[in-house]
Amino acid sequence: MTRTEEFEQLRPLLFSIAYRILGSVSEAEDSVQETWLRFESSSTPHTSTKAFLSATVTRISIDVLRSARFRRERYVGQWLPEPLLSDPYEDPARSAELADSVSMAALLLLERLSPLERAVFVLREVFGFGYSEIASAVGRSEPACRQLAARARRHMDAGRPRFEADRQEREKLAARFFEALREGDVAGLRELLAADVQMVGDGGGKAPQLAHGTSGLENVARLLGAIFPWMVEIGVEWEPREVNGHPGAIFRDRDNKVLNTLSLDIVEGRIQTIRSVINPDKLGHVGPVADAWEVNREVNQARRSAD
């Protein structure tokens, strides 16, 4: 097997490690590319190509995350991870676990960890690396890595919801949600939302947000019922898709350009959180990006014309 073939075989794993550490598709892709450049230029034989590449992409991702932390602290509005439509790393025996680890909720919990804690948690808890491999990857001793993993695990377990719907139930509830959304059925939406539901939008100051931290069943139901029928009126359509391993959708304007993604967190048979990513900088990997300001203008114009 050639060096290129070895790398391509491991690329899905490398991207999946980098994305979970970084929460960014573009930064993960850049980290994987930098890993390839270092691998290509390395003349030292490696006992395990997988171990070398995993360690390299981890170290690169930690460095990128340390730099990104400063930018995220200055981010305009709520920061959300870049939406991921499909995880290239597949393990049928652990598909549910892998999907959970890439969810918006899990990635936001990971943001609370230090870069080292995050990397150790991802390598150990998600991908099952041994502590000797992790220690080599992050440049710490095995006992230190065990402590980092334990601390990260406590933080993650404390923030996770206690009960979640199974996959089939989530899909059925999401289908009902998007049907009610299209019809502007406020009563139907009320039946699907948790009492303390939250709606969060990430525009990054570069696009209008659907919601500025709107919460509460009545507020969210009325907001959704008031806006989305008008979006349909001006030609916006949406395609149900898994977003970060959970039910969601891609919204497109009349020219089929990507307007935003929407993802749903479902807990105990109700929608707990609705997250919308509309920042154009975070949507380029999904497809050509729409002008969200223009769509917003058309929606407002349509609503005024109807009054």
Side-chain angles (χ1 to χ4, degrees):
M1 184 181 295
T2 67
R3 179 169 286 205
T4 301
E5 289 170 338
E6 279 188 292
F7 183 84
E8 290 302 324
Q9 190 174 70
L10 290 165
R11 182 188 286 273
L13 171 63
L14 303 178
F15 173 86
S16 295
I17 290 171
Y19 178 76
R20 285 165 173 82
I21 293 174
L22 294 166
S24 165
V25 172
S26 56
E27 290 173 350
E29 289 174 341
D30 289 345
S31 297
V32 171
Q33 182 61 24
E34 178 62 25
T35 300
W36 161 248
L37 294 175
R38 295 188 189 185
F39 182 49
E40 186 182 35
S41 63
S42 172
S43 57
T44 306
H46 307 292
T47 305
S48 167
T49 300
K50 177 183 176 182
F52 172 79
L53 292 175
S54 299
T56 301
V57 81
T58 297
R59 287 193 290 269
I60 292 169
S61 297
I62 289 172
D63 289 342
V64 172
L65 182 59
R66 284 172 174 152
S67 174
R69 279 287 171 91
F70 177 72
R71 297 195 303 274
R72 291 175 191 178
E73 288 172 0
R74 303 173 64 186
Y75 195 80
V76 178
Q78 171 71 52
W79 181 91
L80 293 176
E82 288 184 12
L84 185 70
L85 302 185
S86 60
D87 187 353
Y89 180 75
E90 296 180 0
D91 182 348
R94 300 176 59 244
S95 59
E97 183 181 352
L98 288 169
D100 179 63
S101 71
V102 83
S103 69
M104 287 276 184
L107 292 172
L108 287 170
L109 283 176
L110 284 169
E111 284 289 307
R112 302 179 185 180
L113 308 181
S114 72
L116 275 179
E117 287 174 339
R118 186 165 181 165
V120 170
F121 181 88
V122 167
L123 292 177
R124 180 63 182 172
E125 300 297 323
V126 180
F127 296 101
F129 280 68
Y131 281 108
S132 62
E133 296 173 293
I134 297 171
S136 174
V138 303
R140 294 292 188 276
S141 67
E142 287 189 42
C145 288
R146 291 180 186 276
Q147 290 180 344
L148 287 165
R151 191 157 59 238
R153 198 180 302 117
R154 286 196 299 271
H155 283 301
M156 294 296 288
D157 289 344
R160 284 196 175 109
R162 296 183 61 189
F163 304 100
E164 295 186 353
D166 66 31
R167 187 185 188 91
Q168 190 172 22
E169 288 177 354
R170 289 193 317 221
E171 290 174 352
K172 288 180 179 178
L173 193 148
R176 291 171 59 198
F177 171 79
F178 285 112
E179 181 179 351
L181 200 63
R182 183 177 297 278
E183 299 298 324
D185 180 1
V186 175
L189 289 167
R190 287 194 191 101
E191 295 177 3
L192 305 173
L193 302 175
D196 56 348
V197 61
Q198 291 187 320
M199 187 169 177
V200 182
D202 177 351
K206 299 183 178 183
Q209 296 179 197
L210 293 175
H212 295 274
T214 303
S215 62
L217 186 154
E218 193 64 31
N219 291 335
V220 173
R222 288 188 178 280
L223 176 67
L224 295 172
I227 291 178
F228 282 87
W230 292 109
M231 294 176 70
V232 173
E233 183 74 16
I234 66 164
V236 171
E237 292 289 342
W238 51 87
E239 168 195 359
R241 286 285 300 271
E242 275 200 351
V243 178
N244 289 77
H246 283 242
I250 303 171
F251 287 69
R252 301 179 188 274
D253 69 6
R254 65 166 66 91
D255 297 320
N256 205 37
K257 292 183 177 180
V258 178
L259 177 63
N260 69 297
T261 63
L262 204 69
S263 61
L264 308 175
D265 280 357
I266 297 172
V267 180
E268 295 186 280
R270 292 289 184 272
I271 295 169
Q272 186 71 54
T273 311
I274 303 168
R275 295 187 177 91
S276 171
V277 177
I278 196 168
N279 183 342
D281 293 346
K282 295 186 175 185
L283 298 172
H285 63 284
V286 181
V289 180
D291 182 343
W293 293 109
E294 176 62 21
V295 171
N296 186 63
R297 187 190 66 78
E298 290 184 21
V299 165
N300 290 332
Q301 187 176 43
R303 294 174 71 179
R304 286 195 297 269
S305 298
D307 290 342

